[in-house]
């Protein structure tokens, strides 16, 4: 969604990042625990399942999650990941203090850790590092890491703030991108724990740094004008969070759908 968060860095790396950014639906109230589940599919075929557990105490939150591949993907190249983010609940944003993600896909693995202070990145590491960097690599500068959001809690929006139009500056530990949301009306959505109206936002993917310039999949997403994210409101805690994402690809749409929301 950098699909920067829990990412499947496979053939559809950036859609997976965007999808991962939606896996953090949470209820924010004093001393509460909350579970949210999602399914990910490509052209209707299962790709993965994700499960997230949230704990909130006063103005501090922690979201921990797991993701596991499913269907044929799990047979061809089993993928599993873990992610965790903790931070403070502000009036207009959730501000992370620590974000981490690790995954293994087949024989490949990677671990990312990012520390934030007041929305700025103070430390970021990735193991193993991407070496050597391609000649067309757009480097991340210190300026790129100011006033940014992590890819997990970055898409949780307080009800007092505007959902869309909106621009979300995301940094996932390697890549810096903007997710630009535009208003597209409302729809009805039903899943376990929720049945009602949701806000539909169009999505524009804007790569800023930490990617290979001219890369085919990145350029495809940059030009794509038909991506959508649907946000549902949690009445109990007065926030909006994603319940559905649709990303068209050349071989069929990638969809991320909440199978449980506040239930």
């Amino acid at each position: 969604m950098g699909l920067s968060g829990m990412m499947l860095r496979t053939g559809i790396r950036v859609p997976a990042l965007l999808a991962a950014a939606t896996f953090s639906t949470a209820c924010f109230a004093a001393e509460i625990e909350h579970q949210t589940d999602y399914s990910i599919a490509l052209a209707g075929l299962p790709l993965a399942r994700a499960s997230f557990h949230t704990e909130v105490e006063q103005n501090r939150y922690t979201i921990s999650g797991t993701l596991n591949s499913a269907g044929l993907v799990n047979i061809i190249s089993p993928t599993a990941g873990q992610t965790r983010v903790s931070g403070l609940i502000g009036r207009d944003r959730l501000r992370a203090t620590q974000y981490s993600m690790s995954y293994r896909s087949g024989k490949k693995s990677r671990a990312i850790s990012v520390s934030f202070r007041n929305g700025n990145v103070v430390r970021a590491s990735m193991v193993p590092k991407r070496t050597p960097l391609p000649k067309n690599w757009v480097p991340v500068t210190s300026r790129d890491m100011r006033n940014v959001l992590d890819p997990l809690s970055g898409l949780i929006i307080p009800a007092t703030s505007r959902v869309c139009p909106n621009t979300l500056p995301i940094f996932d530990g390697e890549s810096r991108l903007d997710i630009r949301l535009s208003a597209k009306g409302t729809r009805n959505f039903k899943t376990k724990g929720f049945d009602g109206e949701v806000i539909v936002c169009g999505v524009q993917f804007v790569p800023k740094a930490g990617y290979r310039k001219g890369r085919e999949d990145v350029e495809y997403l940059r030009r794509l004008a038909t991506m959508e994210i649907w946000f549902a409101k949690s009445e109990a805690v007065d926030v909006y969070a994603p319940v559905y994402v649709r990303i068209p690809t050349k071989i069929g749409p990638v969809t991320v759908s909440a199978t449980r929301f506040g239930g």
Side-chain angles (χ1 to χ4, degrees), residues 107-140:
K107 296 181 179 180
K108 296 181 179 181
S109 63
R110 179 150 289 162
I112 287 175
S113 178
V114 185
S115 298
F116 300 85
R117 184 182 299 122
N118 298 323
N120 301 321
V121 176
V122 294
R123 184 173 64 253
S125 65
M126 184 174 69
V127 180
K129 294 182 178 180
R130 190 181 297 275
T131 55
L133 289 177
K135 292 182 179 179
N136 58 346
W137 187 261
V138 181
V140 176

Side-chain angles (χ1 to χ4, degrees), residues 22-257:
T22 71
F23 294 161
S24 54
T25 305
C27 282
F28 298 107
E31 299 180 359
I32 193 169
E33 296 185 10
H34 183 78
Q35 189 78 20
T36 306
D37 302 321
Y38 291 85
S39 65
I40 310 165
L42 171 61
L45 300 176
L47 285 182
R49 293 182 295 269
S51 183
F52 283 78
H53 183 75
T54 298
E55 296 181 5
V56 177
E57 185 172 358
Q58 296 180 353
N59 69 330
R60 302 193 65 88
Y61 71 93
T62 300
I63 303 169
S64 56
T66 60
L67 182 145
N68 292 280
S69 54
L72 289 176
V73 174
N74 194 49
I75 298 173
I76 298 171
S77 183
T79 299
Q82 300 82 39
T83 188
R84 180 182 174 90
V85 61
S86 58
L88 301 173
I89 304 170
R91 295 182 62 182
D92 59 342
R93 296 280 194 185
L94 272 65
R95 287 294 188 184
T97 54
Q98 188 66 38
Y99 162 77
S100 64
M101 184 276 297
S102 62
Y103 77 95
R104 177 175 292 276
S105 181
K107 296 181 179 180
K108 296 181 179 181
S109 63
R110 179 150 289 162
I112 287 175
S113 178
V114 185
S115 298
F116 300 85
R117 184 182 299 122
N118 298 323
N120 301 321
V121 176
V122 294
R123 184 173 64 253
S125 65
M126 184 174 69
V127 180
K129 294 182 178 180
R130 190 181 297 275
T131 55
L133 289 177
K135 292 182 179 179
N136 58 346
W137 187 261
V138 181
V140 176
T141 67
S142 58
R143 186 174 182 177
D144 292 319
M145 295 187 288
R146 298 174 188 167
N147 194 28
V148 293
L149 303 169
D150 73 277
L152 280 179
S153 49
L155 283 180
I156 305 295
I157 302 174
T160 53
S161 298
R162 183 172 55 190
V163 177
C164 52
N166 200 352
T167 297
L168 307 173
I170 303 295
F171 179 70
D172 70 357
E174 181 184 34
S175 302
R176 170 69 177 85
L177 66 144
D178 281 348
I179 296 176
R180 294 181 181 172
L181 305 177
S182 58
K184 295 188 68 175
T186 60
R187 296 284 294 271
N188 291 320
F189 183 83
K190 182 177 181 180
T191 191
K192 182 178 180 180
F194 182 87
D195 184 358
E197 191 175 76
V198 298
I199 295 175
V200 178
C201 300
V203 181
Q204 183 183 4
F205 167 80
V206 184
K208 307 290 284 188
Y211 71 101
R212 281 190 288 168
K213 189 174 183 179
R215 178 169 166 162
E216 183 179 356
D217 58 350
V218 174
E219 289 302 309
Y220 172 81
L221 284 171
R222 185 180 62 81
R223 295 190 299 266
L224 194 60
T226 53
M227 292 184 284
E228 288 186 354
I229 299 182
W230 299 6
F231 288 86
K233 185 180 180 181
S234 170
E235 296 292 347
V237 291
D238 215 27
V239 299
Y240 283 94
V243 290
Y244 180 77
V245 178
R246 187 178 188 276
I247 307 168
T249 75
K250 295 178 180 179
I251 56 176
V254 173
T255 58
V256 182
S257 186

